Amino acid sequence: MPEITTTSFLGIEDISSSLVVTREVSGSLLSRALPNAPDGYTPAQLDCPSTRPSVRDAADLSDNEKQWLETRLEKSIDPMRDLLRRINIPNFDGPAYITSNENNRSALPNIGIAMSGGGYRALLNGAGAIAAFDSREENATSPGHLGGLLQSATYLSGLSGGGWLVGSLFMNNFTTVSQSLNDPTQTVWQFDQSIFEGPEQGSIQLLDTASYFNTIRDQVNGKRDAGFNRSVTDYWGRALSFQLINATDGGPAYTWSSIAQADDFMQGDTPFPVLVADGRAPGELLISGNTTVYEFNPFEFGTWDPTTFGFIPTEFLGSNFSNGELDPRVQCVRGFDNAGFVMGTSSSLFNQFLLNADSAGLPSFAQSFVTDILESIGRDNNDIADYSPNPFYGYHNSTNRNAQSGRLTLVDGGEDLQNIPLHPLIQPNRHVDVIFAIDSSADTESVWPNGTALVATYERNLNETGIGNGTSFPSIPDTNTFVNLGLNTRPTFFGCNSSNTSSISPLIVYIPNSPYVFQSNVTTFTFAYNITTRNSMVHNGYEGATMGNATVDPQWPVCVGCAVLSRSLERTETEVPQACQECFQRYCWDGTLNSTRPNTYDPPFKGQALVESDAAALRRNGFVALAAAAVPYIHLHCGLGEAPYYEESTQTLRFVDIVKEKLHTVDLRQGPSSHKIIDLDEAISTTAHIEGTEDELIVGAKKGYACYNRVLGKLEYVKKVWDESDGQGKEERMRCNDGAVDRAGRYWVGTMNDPKVQAPTDEGVLFRLDPDLTLHRMIEQVSIPNGMGWSADDKKMFFTDSPTGNIFVYDFNLESGSLSNRRVFFQYSDDDGGVPDGFAMDIEGNLWTAICGGGKVLKVSSEGKVVGVIEMPTRMISCPGFAGEDLIVTSAEEEEPEKYPDSMEYGGSLFRVNVGVTGMPLHRFRRSTWQSTLSINGKFYDPITFLVRPIIDSRELCFRKKHTKINTTVYAGFSSPISGIPYENTNLERATGHPISLTTPIGSPAERTRSSRTNTVVWHVSSSRATATTTGKDPDEGYQPK
């Protein structure tokens, strides 16, 4: 493994601290000087310029862009010359080549950089690449680095998270990445505070959460009151601005078109920024072959596609164009192109999160805010950004799909799978030679890219509809080939031989997100990153762009230089240097295909981890510190999250919130957006499957064991654990806690004092429920029973009593279920505090125990020694569970928020950490095999059981004595029609929907017994249709059943 230096990155010595810039750079992070919208966020109608704006045909570049290119190309010559000097291609004088061609601008290389979507993951990974390409960053011009590529580039495109990156840099005077990370005002890129909770007080924003949401509401309402349509994107864009723009209240007056008036842009000191969005009607399904791709640049908004094929000045978005012109009687609208709204448009996929706010784990105030929004604008048809009035109304009627609609609606630029914004850069009019495509997509199950975005652009270019409109794009293999050949683990060049396309296409330098020094495969819908994770993500992106500062491949900088020069060398008919031929041999895709289904993609580190976070590290001997759980998989606020349980057949995870009486589910294939919350009638603390059914669970509830019917959403007790012999009030002051099922199908559940009633004492009991529903007290005098599990050979059982700090081990008899020979397996003692809570066991015999109050999960070997630790960003870690090779970890809300304010943010969240090993299989509760059938009014209920000890259900039971009928009471229980487990406290008549009258005998003699203690008579009755045990009061010993 190459040694990648991690002691200093962009001027920081400690990756967990804020970045400290140690050299003077230009473009300091100051509030922008061009908040040029006339009325904040509200678009305003003003007099038009003397030359009224109109829609122009997209046959060529705009005059403004042509003039700007002249300035930019002049400014890029020196940085390109310096970059090639430092790269030093062997036996080739790069600087001299630039000098000899500097008067022939068309001969010089034309560079584009494209930043993919992928939420904050894409922003941070892309930021690392931008920092690597930026000569202003510390050490970026050192040997092995690539500083100056950004200064040499002509175009910089972005969408979704990549668009946030591009937009944030340009909205803040084209600042550097390190300055954004080290913003002294702590205004921008402070992602440790979720966007759904607002900025921390004390920064330039000076808002608490309530004020934050009210400010956003008021800003958007201003747009509504001015007569413009609102959409969820308005709110999303405003929230983004608070994180990305260094200005009070998120800079409501900053517009995208104001970039064109910034000094650094006008002087050609920056690349040309372009954001991408897709045209889509509400609810329409997008595919890459039929989607009109729109772009926002500082001068214009519009599309090169042959559908609409037109542009308008960005500054006048919101104006009422018709047939390509403005009605002479109307004014021009300014301020519609709010920078946050444009960035939000390119990432409107996140609207889906807001549209499902009630199940998204938002704070209650945020939920209420979003619910109010959706009630006012409607949930349906608002997963879009509304650009009404449609500026292309009546324009190109024969091809423009929206020509007759007064509404133009746009969505996330990656919804058509073109998640890398290549479209603006492959336009023939722009003559881009080479595109550095930074791919931070989440294509695989493990949230790494697999080339899907390149495939989508390639297929669109080949589409028979002609949607590509003359663009040329190199051949791209299928995604299986990407993974099988490792093309998504390292940089790869596509289009090295330009003669393979009918017209010359750009060379694509594909740089995928890959773990160099940090596991940067964080889910797209992760909305908060602590400072350590944020900095580590950027650092990993830097290492990925530079291939570990040329430690992975010392020739990588030379190969980058060759890629930059490739098309230029062809145009000038210059011989390709031998070093470049070797680079192309090494990095160019040669057309090889391997389309077989790949194995699970789990890339190893290419360098030394900043903080160990990969599965391979866990397999090493010794103590391992992890940082992979620094951000939650689902950011929510459970009161007490517990009992994560993975259903492998459906790849669905469930867990409970004991305090708030909720059941949570999430489809791990779809990710956090599939998260759902189910309200319960009472608290559930542990769940298990029942053999033979998927529709019901057996659970530990308040008073004991119950069946939860997932179809009906009903909870019915099957065995309460307390009776009169336990004294008064025990059902009220106790509840179930953790539980597990052994290999024999017995369900072990611990009970404890309910914290809502009283503090814990030692009156808890560990119970065991057998398949025949007999109940056993296995361990008495327990305080807080938690994790329990068995060794692979079923000879040991492990059990946690949290307040003692001990995990105990017992000898276990699988056949009888008995325990013996208790001793301490592991004792937790740590200065950080906390106690062992729930645990999960892996197939290698290790036990992973949560340390509640200590903010960590410990990996304990089969010898009882700590061999690993996952540090968590909240103290109240409660229970881990396995989902494949991922450890799912629940947590609780912080109990001492004033003492531990940093723990509050993620308290109650759900975490997901890849640990490189699977868990022990989970067993199902085995119901009793004795079942029977009851027929009522010709309808069969199967199975049904009558028990000695269920609820009293008044029925007529006739006795014959002196020809007198005496009414008595019959105890009956009705079993689940799905699982066959009898419910307690169930009204038989209500459950079946039929009146029930039980008499004895039913077709056969009855056996009569008597209990003198309870003065209760029990008759055991059987027939071909029913088997029952009925209990009734015997008023006279001489009575006989009728």
Side-chain angles (χ1 to χ4, degrees):
M1 180 180 293
E3 290 294 329
I4 295 177
T5 303
T6 61
T7 55
S8 178
F9 166 64
L10 301 183
I12 57 168
E13 300 300 321
D14 179 3
I15 198 67
S16 65
S17 67
S18 297
L19 298 184
V20 178
V21 181
T22 57
R23 58 181 285 200
E24 189 69 28
V25 296
S26 61
S28 59
L29 183 61
L30 301 172
S31 297
R32 282 180 48 80
L34 296 170
N36 62 344
D39 190 17
Y41 191 72
T42 302
Q45 300 198 34
L46 302 172
D47 290 340
C48 294
S50 57
T51 302
R52 294 175 68 81
S54 63
V55 182
R56 76 165 184 89
D57 191 276
D60 199 357
L61 298 179
S62 69
D63 291 340
N64 284 331
E65 185 172 344
K66 290 178 181 178
Q67 293 170 11
W68 177 88
L69 281 170
E70 289 294 318
T71 304
R72 177 59 180 171
L73 291 175
E74 180 71 30
K75 287 293 183 74
S76 66
I77 291 175
D78 285 342
M80 194 179 305
R81 186 162 32 217
D82 185 60
L83 173 66
L84 292 173
R85 176 187 60 77
R86 288 183 284 104
I87 285 175
N88 191 23
I89 299 173
N91 301 314
F92 181 79
D93 191 339
Y97 176 82
I98 298 299
T99 299
S100 65
N101 288 284
E102 64 180 316
N103 293 324
N104 180 10
R105 301 293 174 79
S106 63
L108 292 177
N110 190 4
I111 303 169
I113 302 172
M115 315 305 295
S116 85
Y120 292 96
R121 178 189 65 252
L123 184 155
L124 296 171
N125 182 66
I130 291 294
F133 299 158
D134 191 345
S135 60
R136 298 172 296 172
E137 299 285 10
E138 182 183 9
N139 295 326
T141 56
S142 300
H145 296 247
L146 298 175
L149 186 64
L150 180 65
Q151 282 68 28
S152 304
T154 308
Y155 293 97
L156 176 61
S157 64
L159 69 79
S160 189
W164 308 346
L165 168 64
V166 173
S168 183
L169 295 178
F170 275 88
M171 284 298 106
N172 297 305
N173 289 330
F174 196 58
T175 187
T176 64
V177 168
S178 61
Q179 288 169 324
S180 298
L181 295 172
N182 193 44
D183 171 22
T185 65
Q186 295 186 345
T187 302
V188 298
W189 295 26
Q190 301 302 302
F191 305 133
D192 53 332
Q193 192 79 0
S194 167
I195 194 171
F196 300 112
E197 297 181 34
E200 290 191 36
Q201 289 181 273
S203 69
I204 191 174
Q205 312 295 1
L206 298 175
L207 296 175
D208 58 23
T209 299
S211 299
Y212 166 70
F213 281 109
N214 287 333
T215 297
I216 291 174
R217 188 201 309 268
D218 292 344
Q219 291 172 350
V220 177
N221 283 349
K223 182 176 182 179
R224 176 202 62 191
D225 295 343
F228 294 91
N229 291 351
R230 295 171 301 157
S231 58
V232 179
T233 303
D234 285 284
Y235 299 93
W236 174 246
R238 292 311 310 131
L240 278 176
S241 297
F242 276 82
Q243 291 190 327
L244 302 178
I245 299 177
N246 183 39
T248 303
D249 293 346
Y254 294 113
T255 62
W256 192 253
S257 58
S258 74
I259 296 172
Q261 302 171 39
D263 288 341
D264 49 7
F265 178 81
M266 290 191 297
Q267 294 167 9
D269 291 327
T270 77
F272 190 84
V274 186
L275 297 195
V276 170
D278 290 338
R280 198 202 76 184
E284 179 188 10
L285 177 65
L286 291 189
I287 58 174
S288 58
N290 74 355
T291 306
T292 298
V293 179
Y294 290 85
E295 72 170 57
F296 299 84
N297 68 57
F299 298 125
E300 292 185 312
F301 163 77
T303 177
W304 302 97
D305 288 349
T307 49
T308 305
F309 200 59
F311 286 88
I312 66 163
T314 306
E315 180 182 3
F316 298 115
L317 270 167
S319 300
N320 197 359
F321 292 87
S322 180
N323 300 314
E325 304 290 340
L326 276 179
D327 188 307
R329 294 167 297 180
V330 303
Q331 292 181 297
C332 287
V333 171
R334 285 189 173 92
F336 191 99
D337 64 316
N338 175 269
F341 185 55
V342 171
M343 289 188 281
T345 299
S346 188
S347 61
S348 61
L349 175 66
F350 289 80
N351 292 353
Q352 292 295 331
F353 187 91
L354 292 178
L355 290 169
N356 294 281
D358 51 354
S359 62
L362 299 184
S364 58
F365 186 89
Q367 284 195 27
S368 175
F369 169 78
V370 174
T371 299
D372 290 346
I373 291 172
L374 298 178
E375 287 178 353
S376 63
I377 65 177
R379 285 179 182 267
D380 296 335
N381 300 333
N382 278 290
D383 60 332
I384 45 80
D386 200 325
Y387 278 76
S388 303
N390 177 10
F392 303 109
Y393 179 77
Y395 185 75
H396 286 169
N397 289 298
S398 62
T399 57
N400 179 5
R401 299 186 185 100
N402 294 305
Q404 298 307 308
S405 173
R407 191 182 186 200
L408 177 64
T409 52
L410 307 179
V411 295
D412 189 302
E415 282 203 26
D416 62 354
L417 300 183
Q418 296 187 93
N419 200 41
I420 305 174
L422 299 165
H423 183 269
L425 308 186
I426 62 174
Q427 297 305 316
N429 289 325
R430 285 183 168 143
H431 304 291
V432 175
D433 292 327
V434 57
I435 302 172
F436 289 83
I438 311 302
D439 192 1
S440 306
S441 304
D443 302 324
T444 69
E445 288 186 5
S446 51
V447 198
W448 299 107
N450 67 2
T452 294
L454 292 186
V455 173
T457 300
Y458 172 59
E459 291 179 344
R460 185 181 200 269
N461 184 252
L462 298 178
N463 193 280
E464 294 179 354
T465 64
I467 193 72
N469 200 30
T471 57
S472 182
F473 198 75
S475 296
I476 302 295
D478 60 274
T479 57
N480 286 352
T481 294
F482 262 88
V483 177
N484 288 327
L485 300 186
L487 305 181
N488 62 335
T489 67
R490 60 173 179 81
T492 303
F493 297 173
F494 296 96
C496 293
N497 188 346
S498 63
S499 64
N500 287 340
T501 53
S502 57
S503 59
I504 294 178
S505 66
L507 176 67
I508 306 298
V509 178
Y510 178 67
I511 303 178
N513 180 27
S514 191
Y516 279 77
V517 294
F518 189 75
Q519 288 283 10
S520 53
N521 56 330
V522 181
T523 62
T524 303
F525 287 92
T526 297
F527 293 99
Y529 292 72
N530 64 30
I531 298 301
T532 300
T533 301
R534 182 198 68 174
N535 293 351
S536 298
M537 293 277 286
V538 176
H539 195 160
N540 189 76
Y542 190 107
E543 302 294 340
T546 62
M547 293 196 75
N549 303 324
T551 57
V552 175
D553 179 7
Q555 293 304 305
W556 173 240
V558 169
C559 295
V560 168
C562 294
V564 167
L565 290 168
S566 177
R567 297 291 189 259
S568 175
L569 295 176
E570 290 180 11
R571 285 195 297 273
T572 60
E573 299 182 345
T574 302
E575 182 180 356
V576 178
Q578 179 62 33
C580 290
Q581 296 180 37
E582 294 172 358
C583 282
F584 297 147
Q585 183 71 26
R586 182 179 308 167
Y587 286 103
C588 291
W589 176 57
D590 61 4
T592 300
L593 296 174
N594 181 352
S595 301
T596 59
R597 183 176 179 178
N599 296 324
T600 300
Y601 179 60
D602 184 19
F605 274 125
K606 294 178 176 63
Q608 183 63 44
L610 295 171
V611 184
E612 295 285 7
S613 60
D614 64 327
L618 283 168
R619 300 188 183 103
R620 291 200 291 269
N621 293 327
F623 189 84
V624 180
L626 304 175
V631 293
Y633 178 62
I634 302 178
H635 188 198
L636 67 162
H637 294 279
C638 289
L640 175 54
E642 284 280 6
Y645 195 110
Y646 178 57
E647 301 181 33
E648 188 171 4
S649 61
T650 60
Q651 297 184 43
T652 300
L653 177 80
R654 67 174 183 263
F655 59 101
V656 302
D657 183 343
I658 300 176
V659 170
K660 296 182 179 179
E661 300 179 359
K662 310 287 186 185
L663 176 65
H664 296 256
T665 66
V666 59
D667 187 327
L668 297 186
R669 294 166 299 185
Q670 298 180 25
S673 62
S674 65
H675 175 222
K676 296 179 180 178
I677 304 175
I678 302 168
D679 292 325
L680 301 171
D681 294 333
E682 61 179 88
I684 288 176
S685 61
T686 172
T687 70
H689 276 286
I690 301 168
E691 195 174 64
T693 178
E694 300 300 325
D695 292 331
E696 286 193 327
L697 306 174
I698 186 166
V699 303
K702 169 69 175 174
K703 300 174 183 178
Y705 295 86
C707 259
Y708 176 70
N709 188 311
R710 297 199 281 188
V711 178
L712 304 175
K714 299 295 184 182
L715 189 75
E716 299 280 1
Y717 277 95
V718 301
K719 182 67 66 174
K720 294 181 180 176
V721 296
W722 311 113
D723 56 31
E724 294 179 358
S725 65
D726 292 304
Q728 294 294 320
K730 206 152 191 180
E731 277 195 349
E732 174 62 25
R733 70 176 182 271
M734 306 294 287
R735 70 162 172 81
C736 291
N737 203 43
D738 210 345
V741 178
D742 66 24
R743 192 182 300 274
R746 297 171 290 235
Y747 197 10
W748 302 64
V749 174
T751 58
M752 60 176 286
N753 290 114
D754 189 338
K756 294 181 179 179
V757 181
Q758 70 172 67
T761 67
D762 65 352
E763 62 177 330
V765 176
L766 177 63
F767 288 96
R768 190 192 80 207
L769 184 68
D770 290 356
D772 64 359
L773 300 186
T774 57
L775 188 67
H776 306 268
R777 294 174 178 241
M778 302 306 298
I779 304 176
E780 305 269 4
Q781 295 183 316
V782 175
S783 297
I784 302 180
N786 263 304
M788 58 195 77
W790 293 265
S791 59
D793 60 6
D794 292 308
K795 293 183 178 180
K796 296 177 182 177
M797 178 176 174
F798 303 89
F799 172 69
T800 302
D801 190 357
S802 292
T804 69
N806 292 327
I807 300 176
F808 297 101
V809 61
Y810 296 78
D811 293 338
F812 177 66
N813 186 304
L814 178 61
E815 182 177 355
S816 66
S818 62
L819 302 175
S820 61
N821 190 25
R822 183 178 101 162
R823 63 266 190 204
V824 174
F825 166 71
F826 172 73
Q827 185 173 43
Y828 176 74
S829 178
D830 193 283
D831 293 339
D832 293 337
V835 295
D837 203 315
F839 70 67
M841 299 189 70
D842 67 36
I843 58 173
E844 297 175 354
N846 301 298
L847 186 151
W848 300 73
T849 182
I851 303 299
C852 188
K856 65 188 73 173
V857 175
L858 299 182
K859 178 185 179 184
V860 181
S861 72
S862 57
E863 289 78 32
K865 298 189 180 298
V866 176
V867 293
V869 58
I870 304 173
E871 297 287 350
M872 310 294 284
T874 182
R875 292 192 322 124
M876 307 305 292
I877 302 304
S878 52
C879 188
F882 279 95
E885 293 189 350
D886 289 343
L887 196 67
I888 306 296
V889 186
T890 56
S891 64
E893 62 185 356
E894 174 55 55
E895 292 180 344
E896 301 179 81
E898 293 183 359
K899 185 176 181 180
Y900 301 102
D902 293 341
S903 180
M904 292 176 58
E905 170 69 17
Y906 298 138
S909 290
L910 184 76
F911 300 86
R912 182 180 183 181
V913 188
N914 182 269
V915 294
V917 65
T918 58
M920 290 280 287
L922 300 175
H923 304 298
R924 290 173 175 249
F925 180 72
R926 293 184 185 174
R927 59 184 180 176
S928 174
T929 57
W930 176 66
Q931 299 175 4
S932 58
T933 303
L934 176 68
S935 174
I936 304 172
N937 292 352
K939 183 175 181 180
F940 289 94
Y941 292 84
D942 186 13
I944 187 163
T945 307
F946 292 90
L947 301 173
V948 174
R949 198 180 158 267
I951 188 173
I952 295 176
D953 188 21
S954 295
R955 301 289 174 244
E956 182 183 85
L957 182 62
C958 296
F959 295 85
R960 184 178 298 280
K961 181 181 182 183
K962 299 177 182 179
H963 307 288
T964 303
K965 286 186 176 181
I966 301 175
N967 291 333
T968 187
T969 301
V970 176
Y971 296 71
F974 178 60
S975 66
S976 160
I978 298 175
S979 69
I981 295 180
Y983 296 152
E984 289 186 342
N985 297 339
T986 301
N987 182 297
L988 186 58
E989 182 172 326
R990 173 181 60 80
T992 63
H994 295 280
I996 306 298
S997 178
L998 298 178
T999 59
T1000 60
I1002 307 178
S1004 64
E1007 176 188 352
R1008 180 175 183 275
T1009 62
R1010 177 180 178 134
S1011 168
S1012 60
R1013 181 176 69 85
T1014 61
N1015 194 30
T1016 299
V1017 178
V1018 180
W1019 292 275
H1020 303 284
V1021 184
S1022 63
S1023 74
S1024 61
R1025 284 298 184 192
T1027 301
T1029 301
T1030 62
T1031 306
K1033 296 289 185 180
D1034 185 2
D1036 190 306
E1037 189 174 350
Y1039 285 39
Q1040 295 292 327
K1042 178 179 178 181

